[in-house]
């Protein structure tokens, strides 16, 4: 079992998908609890079940006051069946499961609409061994906007795939196929190659209908070790596909791309285990809106796959509807140290730009983003050899650039803030 308590505070955030800033603040707390178990038959067969519950207390929020209130509902977070060593080459996992590939920039969260409450995929995943140290993951997934396998609060409106909030659901299912190769035959030069097909059905907000998308993503991720202390990472991908045609919105072709490039210096054998990374993330953009077009031209804006998460920060994720990362140039540096065992400190900072000025923005400079995170232990081995309690404090700030129409006469509206205090207990 595990339990996660979070208190979060946010102030002066940008309006999602717009160039305006909202001066209001919000704070709330949330408590997620999970229990799980596994039954195995020999080494080759197993069934795994994990149940979850999360409720929230909103003190000052525009969110639905009844969404997630105590005791909320019990949901099936994972339920899958494992069959291993099929023909001494294939491992098969069928059912509801968490899946992450590479650094998580493509595949890490199948239910992006409910944040970190759940991350599962309803999927079939086969891992096929190709060579001594290399394999390929083959996945087929169908993630629905509504989970009917729950027990409890009949008034919840968890929209598991939403980009915009519907009434009460956006009604967008997501389907996907994936082939993800992990090639490790070259010493100190791991390589990954992937093809991912995704279909997003048309969806709704409270008043409008928006077109669906059908597209393919081809990419590679290279992680060479340059020296004993220096490593690099390069990931690049292209997208090709089609946006549906519907009344009032002309269909469009998709041609988009992304690149991440970084170099890391790390010394694990010295005091504090310092690590320093310099990197840039590029997600292509488009001058037209994500939801419509004026002339039917090709959409060159990056569309996230199954990775709508807060992987690059919480305030910066708030720039988009439903964590829909796109149209971003983010050069940044990151430094990390471990001053004591299991005490980890990480800072990250860099300017953010729009690859293309959209939404009527007057400038491409979004602003300067900064993050500081501290992870620390609280209690260890409470029940003999089991039971740990850890804590985390995260603070973020975003200094607005001229992309946003913020009120320069009000100093507080020049900066957005976010704070999280977290306690995790695990048995």
């Amino acid at each position: 079992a595990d339990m996660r308590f979070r208190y979060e505070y946010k102030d002066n955030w940008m309006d999602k998908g717009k160039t305006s800033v909202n001066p209001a603040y919000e704070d709330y707390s949330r408590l997620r609890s999970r229990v799980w178990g596994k039954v195995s038959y020999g080494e080759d067969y197993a069934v795994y079940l994990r149940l979850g519950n999360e409720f929230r207390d909103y003190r000052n929020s525009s969110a639905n006051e009844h969404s997630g209130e105590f005791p909320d509902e019990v949901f099936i977070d994972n339920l899958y069946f494992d069959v291993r060593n099929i023909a001494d080459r294939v491992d098969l996992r069928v059912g509801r499961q968490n899946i992450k590939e590479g650094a998580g920039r493509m595949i890490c969260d199948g239910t992006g609409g409910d944040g970190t409450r759940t991350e599962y995929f309803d999927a079939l995943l086969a891992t096929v061994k190709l060579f001594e140290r290399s394999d390929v993951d083959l996945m087929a997934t169908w993630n629905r906007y509504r989970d009917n396998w729950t027990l409890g609060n009949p008034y919840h409106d968890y929209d598991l795939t939403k980009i915009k909030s519907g009434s009460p659901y956006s009604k967008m299912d997501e389907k996907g196929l994936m082939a993800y190769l992990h090639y490790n035959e070259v010493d100190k030069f791991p390589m990954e190659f992937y093809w991912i097909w995704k279909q997003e059905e048309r969806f709704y907000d409270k008043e409008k209908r928006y077109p669906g998308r059908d597209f393919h993503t081809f990419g590679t991720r290279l992680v060479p070790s340059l020296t004993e202390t220096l490593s690099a990472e390069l990931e690049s991908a292209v997208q090709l596909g089609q946006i549906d045609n519907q009344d009032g919105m002309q269909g469009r072709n998709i041609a988009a791309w992304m690149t991440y490039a970084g170099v890391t210096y790390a010394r694990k054998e010295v005091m504090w285990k310092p690590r320093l990374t310099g990197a840039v993330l590029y997600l292509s953009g488009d001058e037209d809106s994500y939801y419509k077009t004026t002339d039917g031209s090709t959409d060159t804006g990056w569309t996230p796959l199954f990775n709508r998460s807060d992987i690059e920060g919480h305030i910066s994720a708030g720039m988009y509807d439903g964590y829909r990362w796109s149209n971003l140039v983010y050069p940044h540096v990151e430094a990390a140290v471990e001053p004591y065992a299991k005490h980890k400190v990480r800072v990250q900072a860099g300017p953010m730009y729009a690859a293309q000025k959209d939404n009527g923005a007057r400038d491409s400079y979004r602003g300067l983003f900064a993050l500081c995170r501290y992870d620390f232990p609280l209690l260890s081995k409470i029940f003999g050899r089991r039971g740990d309690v850890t804590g985390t404090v995260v603070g973020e700030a975003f200094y607005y650039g001229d992309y946003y129409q913020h009120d320069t006469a009000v100093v507080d509206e020049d900066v957005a803030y976010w704070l999280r205090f977290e306690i995790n207990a695990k048995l």
Side-chain angles (χ1 to χ4, degrees):
D2 68 10
M3 185 172 294
R4 184 185 71 185
F5 170 80
R6 284 179 172 176
Y7 169 79
E8 300 184 357
Y9 172 88
K10 56 189 288 189
D11 193 13
N12 293 335
W13 276 34
M14 64 286 288
D15 292 313
K16 295 180 181 295
K18 299 179 181 179
T19 59
S20 55
V21 174
N22 187 339
Y25 78 91
E26 295 182 1
D27 70 323
Y28 63 94
S29 58
R30 52 197 289 194
L31 182 66
R32 186 187 71 180
S33 55
R34 301 184 301 186
V35 295
W36 61 85
K38 181 178 180 180
V39 177
S40 301
Y41 180 76
E43 296 181 355
D44 296 336
Y45 303 95
V47 177
Y48 179 87
L49 170 65
R50 183 167 67 195
L51 302 177
N53 170 272
E54 182 179 83
F55 57 88
R56 305 187 179 192
D57 177 30
Y58 293 96
R59 298 183 59 192
N60 179 46
S61 175
S62 59
N64 182 349
E65 293 182 358
H66 298 290
S67 177
E69 66 181 7
F70 180 81
D72 200 46
E73 63 182 14
V74 176
F75 57 89
I76 298 176
D77 190 41
N78 272 200
L79 175 57
Y80 57 78
F81 180 61
D82 276 338
V83 183
R84 299 185 179 277
N85 300 314
I86 302 174
D88 294 325
R89 186 175 293 270
V90 180
D91 292 339
L92 185 64
R93 177 168 291 178
V94 181
R96 181 166 293 183
Q97 56 191 285
N98 288 14
I99 302 173
K100 182 179 179 180
E101 297 287 359
R105 298 187 188 97
M106 303 294 157
I107 304 290
C108 68
D109 190 342
T111 55
D114 69 344
T116 57
R117 173 179 172 269
T118 65
E119 299 176 342
Y120 63 73
F121 293 75
D122 287 333
L124 183 154
L125 179 67
T127 300
V128 183
K129 186 175 182 179
L130 300 178
F131 307 106
E132 182 65 26
R133 295 185 292 174
S134 302
D135 57 51
V136 60
D137 284 342
L138 305 175
M139 179 189 73
T141 186
W142 177 20
N143 299 321
R144 295 163 292 175
Y145 68 90
R146 184 177 182 182
D147 180 18
N148 292 315
W149 299 352
T150 63
L151 178 65
N153 186 357
Y155 303 107
H156 78 87
D157 57 353
Y158 292 113
D159 194 336
L160 300 177
T161 62
K162 72 176 180 181
I163 296 176
K164 285 178 171 286
S165 296
S167 182
Y169 298 99
S170 64
K171 300 182 179 179
M172 182 182 76
D173 285 353
E174 297 182 331
K175 301 181 181 71
L177 297 173
M178 176 193 76
Y180 201 107
L181 172 64
H182 311 92
Y183 186 79
N184 300 309
E185 302 305 308
V186 180
D187 192 36
K188 296 185 178 180
F189 200 151
M191 308 178 198
E192 299 172 357
F193 304 91
Y194 52 84
W195 159 77
I196 304 167
W197 167 76
K198 185 181 183 185
Q199 181 187 71
E200 299 176 353
E201 294 185 351
R202 68 185 186 185
F203 61 95
Y204 301 80
D205 62 14
K206 291 181 170 57
E207 298 178 352
K208 298 179 181 179
R209 185 183 73 177
Y210 299 93
R213 295 182 171 227
D214 191 307
F215 58 98
H216 301 262
T217 300
F218 305 87
T220 183
R221 178 172 177 260
L222 310 176
V223 194
S225 295
L226 305 177
T227 68
E228 292 298 321
T229 58
L230 202 63
S231 62
E233 180 180 359
L234 174 65
E235 181 167 9
S236 190
V238 296
Q239 291 181 337
L240 300 171
Q242 182 69 35
I243 301 174
D244 294 344
N245 188 23
Q246 71 174 45
D247 293 342
M249 296 186 187
Q250 189 171 352
R252 309 174 69 184
N253 292 324
I254 296 173
W257 57 98
M258 71 78 64
T259 295
Y260 172 90
V263 177
T264 298
Y265 174 81
R267 297 290 300 273
K268 295 182 179 180
E269 76 284 1
V270 303
M271 184 180 299
W272 287 30
K273 300 179 181 179
R275 186 182 77 247
L276 180 65
T277 298
V280 61
L281 172 66
Y282 177 87
L283 306 175
S284 61
D286 192 280
E287 293 181 353
D288 267 342
S289 167
Y290 179 80
Y291 307 105
K292 60 183 179 180
T293 176
T294 56
D295 58 8
S297 60
T298 298
D299 185 350
T300 56
W302 178 258
T303 300
L305 296 170
F306 300 99
N307 65 313
R308 291 194 287 120
S309 67
D310 52 17
I311 189 171
E312 293 294 344
H314 301 81
I315 299 178
S316 47
M319 295 188 293
Y320 308 101
D321 289 320
Y323 299 85
R324 190 196 55 77
W325 293 90
S326 187
N327 193 20
L328 180 66
V329 183
Y330 179 35
H332 57 280
V333 293
E334 177 183 308
V337 292
E338 188 173 341
Y340 302 100
K342 298 182 180 180
H343 288 256
K344 299 179 180 180
V345 179
R346 177 171 68 92
V347 295
Q348 179 179 314
M352 290 185 167
Y353 302 88
Q356 294 284 340
K357 287 190 289 185
D358 60 353
N359 295 319
R362 60 189 177 185
D363 191 81
S364 61
Y365 178 49
R366 294 179 180 269
L368 177 65
F369 174 72
L371 172 152
C372 182
R373 175 176 178 135
Y374 173 40
D375 294 279
F376 51 93
L378 290 172
L379 296 172
S380 178
K381 298 180 181 179
I382 304 171
F383 301 101
R385 293 181 296 174
R386 301 178 64 88
D388 296 305
V389 181
T390 61
T392 301
V393 178
V394 190
E396 295 181 2
F398 191 91
Y399 299 83
Y400 286 110
D402 287 339
Y403 177 92
Y404 288 100
Q405 308 294 323
H406 55 101
D407 185 358
T408 56
V410 181
V411 175
D412 287 347
E413 291 191 13
D414 284 348
V415 186
Y417 299 98
W418 183 82
L419 174 68
R420 170 187 288 168
F421 173 70
E422 176 177 326
I423 296 177
N424 286 280
K426 184 176 181 179
L427 301 181

